Amino acid sequence: MTHRTRTPLAAAAFVSLGLLGAALAQPAATVRIGFFPNLTHAPALIADAKGYYAAQLKGVKVEVKTFVSGTTLSEAFAAGAIDIGLIGPGPAINAAAKGIPVQIIAGASEAGAVLIVRKGTDIAAYKDLAGKKIGVPSLGNTQDISLRALLNTNGLKSQDSGGNVTIMPVAPADVAAAFLSKQLDAALVPEPWGAQLEALGNKVLGDEKSIWRGGKYPSAVVIVNTKFAQANPEIVKGFLKAHLQAVNFMVKSPVAAQAAISSELLKLTSQKVDARVLQRALKRTQITSDIDIDALKDYGQLSLAAGYTRTLPDFGTLVDLSVLKSLSGK
Amino acid sequence: MTLAAAQQPARRNLTLLWQVLGLLVILGLWWLVTDVLKIWPPYVFPTPKAVWQEFAYGLWGSGPQDGKLLSSVGNSLRRVGLGYLIAVALGGGVGLLMSLWRPLRDTLGAYLQGLQSVPSIAFVPFAILFLGLNEKAVMFVVIIEGFIPVALAVSGAMLNVPPAWRTAGRTLGANNFALVTRVLLPAALPNIVTGLRTAWSFSWRALIGAELLTANPGLGQLLEIGRNTANVALVVATIVIVGVVGGLFDLLIRALETRLRRDYGLEVQA
Amino acid sequence: MTVNRTNERTIGPAVQEFKQTKTAGDGPSTKLHGVSRNPAPTASAAPVVPEQPRGASLELSNVAYHYSARRGQRAGLGPLSLEVGAGEFLTVVGPSGSGKSTLLSVLAGFLKPQSGTLTLAGQPLKGPHPALTLVQQEHALFPWLTVAGNIAFGLKSQKLGREEQVRRTSDTLALVGLGGYGERRIHELSGGQRQRIALARALATRPGLLLLDEPFSALDARTRTEISQELLSIWQAQRVTVVFVTHNLEEALALGERVVALRGGEVVLDAPTREVGLEQLRRVLNER
């Protein structure tokens, strides 16, 4: 029995946290899982579509909640409304830096973000981005931080750092409209939005590999509420089993996995993603449970440099892959 | 009368004392529940010190996102200032026409009354579709939120001018134009200023809401960054600034209002 | 200018004269009018001949105004014919619902009579007229202006020069005994002072006809007597035509030269006040 709500949690949810903290000490009968209807969250999309969560978590009620941004998911974590979730590394690091009890227990995907420029612009290279308006899903998120890194390595700066590139928060779903009305010149978006925008005639300036680290960077990771993990090791284990099952399914039978993702996206967003678009998007996204800790640390440094955080968490305690390793036998 | 005048400064001092005491109590309670009792974790409810630190970073910090507080406040003030002025000019004109021409009042006036109950944030998607994701959309929301209360206040205040003043104006030879400019408008002024105050708070709130969408530094954007980076202290610090700036301007208009009311011999509202 | 200063000088003794008569006629107020109606003391006491009568004559013939049935309760007027001579002081009395207010509104030009004609100084009267000012029951002074600003209001409408405005304002203030009050705010004045300013504001425009709508009804008895006497002396000096509407019969007999009693929108009595007694007035108005 799964129950779905899209919950951009308001500040009011803060209040409930104090009470929830005490409740979490008991082994839970319910696990609340959060993720986005994005390709970078494909393992969750597959696991939910194929019923892996329910199968691996027998006797536990599974509640699935979808979010539109790392911000809302991170707020839900802070409020104690989510136990396990898939989230971009940026918000995960920020949350840990602020003392929110999160732990990264697995990877979910790598790469899967592209820099798209509006058709009809004269942008042919990164340096042409000078003076342009570039959209990111939200300020301080994973794409925002990668974009700032990209600009830096090309000798450019954003407006709020004294440069001339304007970084605007635009929901990926709104980018197409913003391109049409020429409000934006480019956007760094996660898949499948990149492939969708490309299908509309806009072009890819930087693909998933050229943006950063040759494509070896995490786009989504699995986080768990630390207290929940301590009280419910079996649930965490069950979740990771389902997660690995989904990743394997993706690797072994990509066509069937794509069909599962497509139907799940349709169910969650009421939007049918074109099969060719989905295929192209999946090609740019590496579904994996591995996690490159060095890339994670680099993210932290970039976030620090962008001024979105002042302190970095201890990555040794933030990332705990012991359960994952025991399950995958590595 | 002289007795009352002598009492006034004393009463003002007393009010000030109470206000300072109230502030201290709030700060004390805040400190108690966060630093001492730790009812909520700091990432949910920040300590006074953490919030103060955000102020410090915003004012004189040296990090990449630091030192922007004043420019953020300045940007927000610039937007709301311009938007508010346009709203007042537009609302004044439309309100005047509504008060003078009944068909307009019965149609537009009724719609405006309805529109006023629509929260500003509801206009934002429309503004974005219509004007794009830019500062114009923000201005649109600020203007529409300020315009409506001004138009309604001007129209209402003009219509509520006591008939004795109209009669006096006409019997003293004022033609229609002079009746409006020399009698009705000045007579309506105290109530119009009350409307201006409402319009200010509507515009200010609308601005902060709409600014969450803009790329330029502003208070709304500070809130959004605080939220995106799980920095509740920054959120709270921004809320404090939004409240203080809004309150200060409100105080300014209120002072004008009080003065007008005193000159007009009207009861002074506390 | 000469004329104005003359007026002030002639008023001085005139006021004193009335103050004396007031103490003399303290009993039945009807005694007061005997003196007030006689302009002789002013003329003879003053060395300078006052300005020739400025007052305008007023003529109403078959004037009627009736409210439509929807606005039912208000009293209609007429048809009614009435002549008021130039410089005459006419009081109009009547209970509420007698058509007093309607008559005033018609005279002031705020209501257009459905039939009949009005003339002021021989000219047809249609709508508000510069030679005619109304002083209302409540003072209706403009609080956003100073005392001087209020008085100058009508002068600005007449497009008088700045200097002339200033001079007339201070002259008129002196006339009502409030010289030096020009920069005061309205709310700083007492009730009597406010009504004096209202009177001054109306007089400053030098109207041919002054309409007074129970102007002193909100004042206490003593202030009322004082200000009534001032009104009389001003009238005596300036000879403006006055139509004074009141429901106070004693006041009507004491102030006016002639009294008109209205009932049901019709004139039931029209006679010189010296020929009318209070009892008679009560009787025709069916007041006990």
Side-chain angles (χ1 to χ4, degrees), chain A residues 14-15 17 71-72 75 78 94 98-101 138-139 148 159-160 166-168 170 183 304-308 310, chain B residues 39-41 43-44 54 57 64-66 68 131-134 212-217 221 225 227-232:
Chain A
F14 288 168
V15 181
L17 191 97
T71 303
T72 50
E75 279 169 353
N94 280 339
K98 289 290 163 197
I100 298 176
S138 70
L139 293 178
R148 282 165 203 268
Q159 211 176 36
D160 56 7
T166 311
I167 300 180
M168 297 175 77
V170 181
Q183 301 292 333
L304 206 60
Y308 286 133
R310 293 178 199 285
Chain B
I39 296 178
W40 294 282
Y43 54 85
V44 170
E54 286 302 328
Y57 287 134
Q65 297 281 341
D66 290 348
K68 287 179 187 164
L131 297 162
L133 245 172
N134 51 28
L212 295 173
L213 309 158
T214 59
N216 298 317
Q221 200 200 30
I225 289 178
R227 197 181 160 205
N228 287 342
T229 56
N231 189 349
V232 205

Short mmCIF file of all heavy atoms in Angstrom, two decimals, chain A residues 14-15 17 71-72 75 78 94 98-101 138-139 148 159-160 166-168 170 183 304-308 310, chain B residues 39-41 43-44 54 57 64-66 68 131-134 212-217 221 225 227-232:
data_model
loop_
_atom_site.label_atom_id
_atom_site.label_comp_id
_atom_site.label_asym_id
_atom_site.label_seq_id
_atom_site.Cartn_x
_atom_site.Cartn_y
_atom_site.Cartn_z
N PHE A 14 8.13 22.66 10.88
CA PHE A 14 9.22 22.71 11.86
C PHE A 14 8.75 22.29 13.24
O PHE A 14 9.43 21.57 13.96
CB PHE A 14 9.76 24.14 11.99
CG PHE A 14 10.55 24.58 10.79
CD1 PHE A 14 10.87 25.91 10.65
CD2 PHE A 14 10.98 23.67 9.83
CE1 PHE A 14 11.61 26.33 9.56
CE2 PHE A 14 11.70 24.08 8.75
CZ PHE A 14 12.03 25.41 8.62
N VAL A 15 7.58 22.77 13.57
CA VAL A 15 7.08 22.61 14.92
C VAL A 15 6.97 21.15 15.31
O VAL A 15 7.26 20.77 16.43
CB VAL A 15 5.70 23.30 15.03
CG1 VAL A 15 5.16 23.16 16.44
CG2 VAL A 15 5.83 24.76 14.65
N LEU A 17 8.74 18.73 14.69
CA LEU A 17 9.96 17.95 14.82
C LEU A 17 10.27 17.50 16.23
O LEU A 17 10.67 16.35 16.45
CB LEU A 17 11.15 18.74 14.30
CG LEU A 17 12.33 17.80 14.21
CD1 LEU A 17 12.49 17.27 12.82
CD2 LEU A 17 13.57 18.42 14.72
N THR A 71 15.37 21.55 -2.01
CA THR A 71 15.02 22.41 -0.90
C THR A 71 13.85 21.84 -0.10
O THR A 71 13.91 21.72 1.12
CB THR A 71 14.65 23.80 -1.41
OG1 THR A 71 15.75 24.31 -2.15
CG2 THR A 71 14.32 24.72 -0.27
N THR A 72 12.79 21.49 -0.82
CA THR A 72 11.61 21.01 -0.11
C THR A 72 11.87 19.66 0.54
O THR A 72 11.41 19.40 1.65
CB THR A 72 10.41 20.92 -1.06
OG1 THR A 72 10.79 20.20 -2.23
CG2 THR A 72 9.92 22.29 -1.47
N GLU A 75 13.87 20.28 3.60
CA GLU A 75 13.02 20.79 4.68
C GLU A 75 12.23 19.67 5.33
O GLU A 75 12.06 19.64 6.56
CB GLU A 75 12.05 21.85 4.13
CG GLU A 75 12.69 23.21 3.99
CD GLU A 75 11.83 24.18 3.21
OE1 GLU A 75 10.80 23.77 2.65
OE2 GLU A 75 12.21 25.35 3.15
N ALA A 78 14.46 17.97 7.65
CA ALA A 78 14.67 18.76 8.87
C ALA A 78 13.46 18.64 9.80
O ALA A 78 13.59 18.61 11.01
CB ALA A 78 14.91 20.22 8.51
N ASN A 94 24.76 20.54 2.35
CA ASN A 94 24.28 21.71 3.10
C ASN A 94 23.52 21.30 4.35
O ASN A 94 23.71 21.88 5.43
CB ASN A 94 23.34 22.56 2.23
CG ASN A 94 24.12 23.44 1.27
OD1 ASN A 94 25.29 23.72 1.51
ND2 ASN A 94 23.48 23.86 0.20
N LYS A 98 24.52 21.96 8.36
CA LYS A 98 23.69 22.70 9.31
C LYS A 98 23.28 21.85 10.49
O LYS A 98 22.48 22.28 11.32
CB LYS A 98 22.43 23.20 8.60
CG LYS A 98 22.69 24.31 7.61
CD LYS A 98 23.08 25.59 8.32
CE LYS A 98 23.73 26.54 7.33
NZ LYS A 98 24.48 27.61 7.98
N GLY A 99 23.76 20.61 10.53
CA GLY A 99 23.46 19.79 11.69
C GLY A 99 22.22 18.94 11.57
O GLY A 99 21.81 18.29 12.51
N ILE A 100 21.58 18.96 10.40
CA ILE A 100 20.42 18.08 10.20
C ILE A 100 20.95 16.64 10.18
O ILE A 100 21.94 16.36 9.50
CB ILE A 100 19.70 18.44 8.88
CG1 ILE A 100 19.16 19.87 8.95
CG2 ILE A 100 18.56 17.46 8.58
CD1 ILE A 100 18.52 20.38 7.69
N PRO A 101 20.33 15.74 10.94
CA PRO A 101 20.89 14.39 11.06
C PRO A 101 20.68 13.55 9.79
O PRO A 101 19.71 12.81 9.69
CB PRO A 101 20.13 13.79 12.24
CG PRO A 101 18.85 14.55 12.30
CD PRO A 101 19.12 15.91 11.76
N SER A 138 17.28 25.67 -8.70
CA SER A 138 17.12 26.60 -7.59
C SER A 138 18.49 27.02 -7.10
O SER A 138 19.48 26.31 -7.32
CB SER A 138 16.29 25.98 -6.46
OG SER A 138 17.01 24.98 -5.82
N LEU A 139 18.55 28.19 -6.49
CA LEU A 139 19.84 28.73 -6.05
C LEU A 139 20.41 27.83 -4.96
O LEU A 139 19.71 27.43 -4.04
CB LEU A 139 19.67 30.15 -5.52
CG LEU A 139 19.29 31.18 -6.59
CD1 LEU A 139 19.12 32.55 -5.94
CD2 LEU A 139 20.32 31.24 -7.69
N ARG A 148 28.44 27.34 -11.31
CA ARG A 148 29.42 28.30 -10.82
C ARG A 148 30.85 27.79 -11.04
O ARG A 148 31.75 28.56 -11.39
CB ARG A 148 29.18 28.60 -9.34
CG ARG A 148 28.04 29.58 -9.15
CD ARG A 148 27.53 29.62 -7.73
NE ARG A 148 26.15 30.11 -7.72
CZ ARG A 148 25.81 31.39 -7.58
NH1 ARG A 148 26.74 32.30 -7.42
NH2 ARG A 148 24.55 31.75 -7.60
N GLN A 159 26.66 37.38 -11.52
CA GLN A 159 26.38 38.77 -11.15
C GLN A 159 26.53 38.99 -9.65
O GLN A 159 27.06 40.00 -9.22
CB GLN A 159 24.96 39.11 -11.59
CG GLN A 159 24.78 40.55 -11.97
CD GLN A 159 23.37 40.80 -12.47
OE1 GLN A 159 22.41 40.21 -11.98
NE2 GLN A 159 23.24 41.67 -13.45
N ASP A 160 26.03 38.03 -8.86
CA ASP A 160 26.09 38.24 -7.41
C ASP A 160 27.49 38.05 -6.85
O ASP A 160 27.72 38.26 -5.67
CB ASP A 160 25.05 37.37 -6.68
CG ASP A 160 25.20 35.90 -6.99
OD1 ASP A 160 26.18 35.54 -7.65
OD2 ASP A 160 24.34 35.12 -6.57
N THR A 166 24.11 36.29 -15.24
CA THR A 166 22.99 36.26 -14.31
C THR A 166 22.51 34.83 -14.11
O THR A 166 22.15 34.16 -15.08
CB THR A 166 21.83 37.11 -14.86
OG1 THR A 166 22.36 38.37 -15.26
CG2 THR A 166 20.76 37.31 -13.82
N ILE A 167 22.54 34.39 -12.87
CA ILE A 167 22.03 33.05 -12.58
C ILE A 167 20.63 33.19 -11.99
O ILE A 167 20.43 33.90 -11.00
CB ILE A 167 22.95 32.30 -11.59
CG1 ILE A 167 24.35 32.16 -12.21
CG2 ILE A 167 22.37 30.93 -11.26
CD1 ILE A 167 25.34 31.44 -11.32
N MET A 168 19.66 32.59 -12.66
CA MET A 168 18.27 32.73 -12.22
C MET A 168 17.70 31.39 -11.80
O MET A 168 17.90 30.39 -12.48
CB MET A 168 17.40 33.28 -13.35
CG MET A 168 17.79 34.66 -13.80
SD MET A 168 16.83 35.18 -15.23
CE MET A 168 15.29 35.58 -14.45
N VAL A 170 15.00 28.92 -11.98
CA VAL A 170 13.83 28.63 -12.82
C VAL A 170 13.56 27.13 -12.72
O VAL A 170 14.46 26.32 -12.93
CB VAL A 170 14.10 29.00 -14.30
CG1 VAL A 170 12.86 28.72 -15.14
CG2 VAL A 170 14.52 30.45 -14.44
N GLN A 183 13.46 34.99 -22.01
CA GLN A 183 13.81 35.44 -20.67
C GLN A 183 15.12 34.81 -20.22
O GLN A 183 15.78 35.30 -19.32
CB GLN A 183 12.72 35.05 -19.67
CG GLN A 183 11.36 35.61 -19.99
CD GLN A 183 11.32 37.10 -19.83
OE1 GLN A 183 12.07 37.66 -19.04
NE2 GLN A 183 10.47 37.75 -20.59
N LEU A 304 31.23 25.78 -0.72
CA LEU A 304 31.93 26.69 0.19
C LEU A 304 32.37 27.94 -0.57
O LEU A 304 32.17 29.07 -0.13
CB LEU A 304 33.15 25.96 0.75
CG LEU A 304 33.71 26.38 2.10
CD1 LEU A 304 32.66 26.23 3.18
CD2 LEU A 304 34.93 25.54 2.44
N ALA A 305 32.93 27.70 -1.77
CA ALA A 305 33.43 28.81 -2.57
C ALA A 305 32.29 29.71 -3.04
O ALA A 305 32.46 30.92 -3.17
CB ALA A 305 34.22 28.29 -3.77
N ALA A 306 31.13 29.10 -3.31
CA ALA A 306 29.99 29.89 -3.76
C ALA A 306 29.34 30.63 -2.60
O ALA A 306 28.49 31.49 -2.80
CB ALA A 306 28.96 29.00 -4.45
N GLY A 307 29.75 30.30 -1.37
CA GLY A 307 29.22 31.00 -0.20
C GLY A 307 27.91 30.44 0.29
O GLY A 307 27.24 31.05 1.11
N TYR A 308 27.51 29.26 -0.22
CA TYR A 308 26.23 28.70 0.21
C TYR A 308 26.35 28.00 1.55
O TYR A 308 25.35 27.71 2.19
CB TYR A 308 25.69 27.75 -0.84
CG TYR A 308 25.16 28.47 -2.05
CD1 TYR A 308 25.49 28.07 -3.34
CD2 TYR A 308 24.32 29.57 -1.89
CE1 TYR A 308 24.99 28.75 -4.44
CE2 TYR A 308 23.82 30.24 -2.98
CZ TYR A 308 24.16 29.83 -4.26
OH TYR A 308 23.67 30.50 -5.33
N ARG A 310 29.17 27.73 5.12
CA ARG A 310 30.38 28.26 5.73
C ARG A 310 31.25 27.17 6.32
O ARG A 310 32.43 27.37 6.57
CB ARG A 310 30.03 29.23 6.84
CG ARG A 310 29.37 30.45 6.30
CD ARG A 310 28.97 31.40 7.39
NE ARG A 310 27.96 32.29 6.85
CZ ARG A 310 28.25 33.27 6.01
NH1 ARG A 310 29.49 33.51 5.68
NH2 ARG A 310 27.30 34.02 5.52
N ILE B 39 14.63 23.31 22.96
CA ILE B 39 13.40 22.60 22.61
C ILE B 39 13.45 22.13 21.16
O ILE B 39 13.01 21.04 20.84
CB ILE B 39 12.18 23.52 22.83
CG1 ILE B 39 12.07 23.85 24.33
CG2 ILE B 39 10.89 22.87 22.34
CD1 ILE B 39 10.94 24.77 24.68
N TRP B 40 13.97 22.99 20.30
CA TRP B 40 14.10 22.61 18.89
C TRP B 40 15.58 22.57 18.51
O TRP B 40 16.36 23.35 19.05
CB TRP B 40 13.39 23.64 18.02
CG TRP B 40 11.91 23.68 18.22
CD1 TRP B 40 10.98 22.81 17.73
CD2 TRP B 40 11.17 24.64 18.99
NE1 TRP B 40 9.72 23.17 18.14
CE2 TRP B 40 9.80 24.29 18.91
CE3 TRP B 40 11.53 25.77 19.75
CZ2 TRP B 40 8.80 25.02 19.54
CZ3 TRP B 40 10.54 26.49 20.36
CH2 TRP B 40 9.19 26.11 20.27
N PRO B 41 15.93 21.69 17.57
CA PRO B 41 17.33 21.71 17.11
C PRO B 41 17.61 23.02 16.35
O PRO B 41 16.69 23.61 15.80
CB PRO B 41 17.41 20.50 16.18
CG PRO B 41 16.01 20.14 15.83
CD PRO B 41 15.14 20.63 16.93
N TYR B 43 18.82 23.71 13.56
CA TYR B 43 18.50 23.81 12.14
C TYR B 43 17.00 24.02 11.92
O TYR B 43 16.54 24.19 10.81
CB TYR B 43 19.00 22.60 11.36
CG TYR B 43 18.54 21.26 11.90
CD1 TYR B 43 17.32 20.73 11.53
CD2 TYR B 43 19.35 20.53 12.78
CE1 TYR B 43 16.89 19.52 12.03
CE2 TYR B 43 18.92 19.32 13.28
CZ TYR B 43 17.68 18.81 12.90
OH TYR B 43 17.26 17.61 13.40
N VAL B 44 16.23 23.97 13.00
CA VAL B 44 14.80 24.26 12.90
C VAL B 44 14.52 25.65 13.45
O VAL B 44 13.85 26.47 12.84
CB VAL B 44 13.97 23.20 13.65
CG1 VAL B 44 12.52 23.64 13.74
CG2 VAL B 44 14.06 21.86 12.95
N GLU B 54 24.34 36.01 11.12
CA GLU B 54 23.93 36.21 9.73
C GLU B 54 23.89 37.70 9.40
O GLU B 54 24.26 38.12 8.31
CB GLU B 54 22.56 35.58 9.45
CG GLU B 54 22.60 34.07 9.36
CD GLU B 54 23.54 33.56 8.26
OE1 GLU B 54 23.68 34.25 7.23
OE2 GLU B 54 24.13 32.48 8.46
N TYR B 57 27.50 38.70 8.95
CA TYR B 57 28.00 38.27 7.64
C TYR B 57 27.44 39.16 6.55
O TYR B 57 28.14 39.59 5.64
CB TYR B 57 27.58 36.83 7.34
CG TYR B 57 28.31 35.78 8.14
CD1 TYR B 57 27.63 34.74 8.76
CD2 TYR B 57 29.69 35.82 8.25
CE1 TYR B 57 28.29 33.78 9.49
CE2 TYR B 57 30.37 34.85 8.97
CZ TYR B 57 29.66 33.83 9.60
OH TYR B 57 30.32 32.88 10.30
N PRO B 64 31.97 34.82 -0.18
CA PRO B 64 31.42 35.11 -1.51
C PRO B 64 29.98 35.61 -1.48
O PRO B 64 29.58 36.38 -2.35
CB PRO B 64 31.54 33.79 -2.25
CG PRO B 64 31.94 32.77 -1.26
CD PRO B 64 32.48 33.45 -0.06
N GLN B 65 29.17 35.15 -0.53
CA GLN B 65 27.78 35.61 -0.49
C GLN B 65 27.58 36.68 0.59
O GLN B 65 26.46 37.06 0.89
CB GLN B 65 26.83 34.43 -0.21
CG GLN B 65 26.82 33.36 -1.26
CD GLN B 65 25.99 33.72 -2.49
OE1 GLN B 65 25.14 34.59 -2.44
NE2 GLN B 65 26.26 33.06 -3.59
N ASP B 66 28.68 37.16 1.19
CA ASP B 66 28.57 38.07 2.32
C ASP B 66 28.52 39.53 1.88
O ASP B 66 28.79 39.86 0.73
CB ASP B 66 29.74 37.88 3.28
CG ASP B 66 29.65 36.54 3.99
OD1 ASP B 66 28.57 35.92 3.91
OD2 ASP B 66 30.64 36.12 4.60
N LYS B 68 26.18 41.51 1.45
CA LYS B 68 25.17 41.89 0.45
C LYS B 68 23.89 42.39 1.09
O LYS B 68 22.94 42.70 0.39
CB LYS B 68 24.83 40.69 -0.41
CG LYS B 68 25.92 40.35 -1.37
CD LYS B 68 25.50 39.16 -2.16
CE LYS B 68 26.62 38.67 -3.01
NZ LYS B 68 26.33 37.33 -3.48
N LEU B 131 4.51 38.94 -18.39
CA LEU B 131 5.63 39.87 -18.52
C LEU B 131 6.98 39.19 -18.56
O LEU B 131 7.98 39.81 -18.88
CB LEU B 131 5.62 40.86 -17.35
CG LEU B 131 4.39 41.76 -17.28
CD1 LEU B 131 4.26 42.37 -15.90
CD2 LEU B 131 4.51 42.85 -18.32
N GLY B 132 7.00 37.92 -18.21
CA GLY B 132 8.27 37.21 -18.21
C GLY B 132 8.88 37.15 -16.83
O GLY B 132 8.42 37.79 -15.89
N LEU B 133 9.94 36.35 -16.77
CA LEU B 133 10.57 36.10 -15.47
C LEU B 133 11.55 37.21 -15.16
O LEU B 133 12.75 37.00 -15.22
CB LEU B 133 11.34 34.79 -15.59
CG LEU B 133 10.86 33.63 -14.75
CD1 LEU B 133 11.60 32.39 -15.14
CD2 LEU B 133 11.04 33.93 -13.28
N ASN B 134 11.07 38.38 -14.91
CA ASN B 134 12.02 39.47 -14.73
C ASN B 134 11.48 40.47 -13.72
O ASN B 134 10.47 40.24 -13.07
CB ASN B 134 12.26 40.17 -16.07
CG ASN B 134 10.95 40.55 -16.74
OD1 ASN B 134 9.95 40.76 -16.05
ND2 ASN B 134 10.94 40.60 -18.04
N LEU B 212 11.08 36.38 -4.52
CA LEU B 212 11.60 35.01 -4.43
C LEU B 212 11.93 34.50 -5.83
O LEU B 212 12.67 33.55 -6.00
CB LEU B 212 10.55 34.10 -3.79
CG LEU B 212 10.19 34.38 -2.33
CD1 LEU B 212 9.02 33.52 -1.90
CD2 LEU B 212 11.38 34.11 -1.43
N LEU B 213 11.37 35.18 -6.84
CA LEU B 213 11.54 34.70 -8.21
C LEU B 213 12.63 35.41 -8.98
O LEU B 213 12.97 35.02 -10.07
CB LEU B 213 10.23 34.92 -8.97
CG LEU B 213 9.00 34.40 -8.30
CD1 LEU B 213 7.78 35.11 -8.82
CD2 LEU B 213 8.91 32.92 -8.52
N THR B 214 13.14 36.51 -8.47
CA THR B 214 14.07 37.28 -9.30
C THR B 214 15.50 36.86 -9.05
O THR B 214 15.85 36.33 -8.01
CB THR B 214 13.97 38.78 -9.02
OG1 THR B 214 14.25 38.99 -7.65
CG2 THR B 214 12.61 39.31 -9.36
N ALA B 215 16.35 37.14 -10.01
CA ALA B 215 17.74 36.77 -9.89
C ALA B 215 18.55 37.86 -9.22
O ALA B 215 19.64 37.61 -8.74
CB ALA B 215 18.31 36.49 -11.27
N ASN B 216 18.04 39.08 -9.18
CA ASN B 216 18.81 40.16 -8.60
C ASN B 216 18.74 40.11 -7.08
O ASN B 216 17.73 39.71 -6.53
CB ASN B 216 18.27 41.50 -9.08
CG ASN B 216 18.39 41.62 -10.56
OD1 ASN B 216 19.41 41.26 -11.13
ND2 ASN B 216 17.33 42.09 -11.20
N PRO B 217 19.81 40.52 -6.44
CA PRO B 217 19.80 40.49 -4.99
C PRO B 217 18.64 41.31 -4.43
O PRO B 217 18.35 42.40 -4.90
CB PRO B 217 21.14 41.13 -4.61
CG PRO B 217 21.99 40.97 -5.80
CD PRO B 217 21.09 40.97 -6.98
N GLN B 221 15.03 37.20 -2.28
CA GLN B 221 16.02 36.23 -2.72
C GLN B 221 16.86 35.73 -1.55
O GLN B 221 17.24 34.57 -1.52
CB GLN B 221 16.91 36.86 -3.78
CG GLN B 221 17.60 35.80 -4.60
CD GLN B 221 18.80 36.32 -5.32
OE1 GLN B 221 19.46 37.24 -4.84
NE2 GLN B 221 19.09 35.74 -6.46
N ILE B 225 17.52 31.90 -0.69
CA ILE B 225 18.84 31.29 -0.52
C ILE B 225 18.93 30.61 0.84
O ILE B 225 19.43 29.49 0.97
CB ILE B 225 19.96 32.34 -0.69
CG1 ILE B 225 20.06 32.75 -2.16
CG2 ILE B 225 21.31 31.78 -0.22
CD1 ILE B 225 21.09 33.82 -2.44
N ARG B 227 16.60 29.36 2.51
CA ARG B 227 15.81 28.14 2.46
C ARG B 227 16.55 27.06 1.70
O ARG B 227 16.64 25.91 2.12
CB ARG B 227 14.49 28.48 1.77
CG ARG B 227 13.44 27.47 2.00
CD ARG B 227 12.17 27.85 1.26
NE ARG B 227 11.39 26.63 1.14
CZ ARG B 227 10.50 26.41 0.19
NH1 ARG B 227 10.26 27.33 -0.70
NH2 ARG B 227 9.85 25.28 0.16
N ASN B 228 17.12 27.43 0.54
CA ASN B 228 17.79 26.43 -0.30
C ASN B 228 19.01 25.84 0.37
O ASN B 228 19.40 24.72 0.06
CB ASN B 228 18.22 27.06 -1.62
CG ASN B 228 17.05 27.31 -2.53
OD1 ASN B 228 15.98 26.74 -2.34
ND2 ASN B 228 17.22 28.17 -3.50
N THR B 229 19.65 26.61 1.23
CA THR B 229 20.88 26.11 1.82
C THR B 229 20.65 25.66 3.26
O THR B 229 21.58 25.57 4.03
CB THR B 229 21.98 27.18 1.79
OG1 THR B 229 21.48 28.36 2.46
CG2 THR B 229 22.33 27.56 0.37
N ALA B 230 19.41 25.41 3.59
CA ALA B 230 19.05 24.94 4.93
C ALA B 230 19.57 25.87 6.02
O ALA B 230 19.90 25.43 7.11
CB ALA B 230 19.57 23.51 5.15
N ASN B 231 19.64 27.17 5.68
CA ASN B 231 20.17 28.14 6.62
C ASN B 231 19.02 28.92 7.27
O ASN B 231 18.65 30.00 6.83
CB ASN B 231 21.12 29.08 5.87
CG ASN B 231 21.89 29.99 6.80
OD1 ASN B 231 21.57 30.07 7.99
ND2 ASN B 231 22.87 30.68 6.27
N VAL B 232 18.46 28.33 8.33
CA VAL B 232 17.30 28.96 8.97
C VAL B 232 17.66 30.29 9.59
O VAL B 232 16.83 31.20 9.65
CB VAL B 232 16.70 28.07 10.08
CG1 VAL B 232 15.25 28.40 10.27
CG2 VAL B 232 16.89 26.62 9.76
#
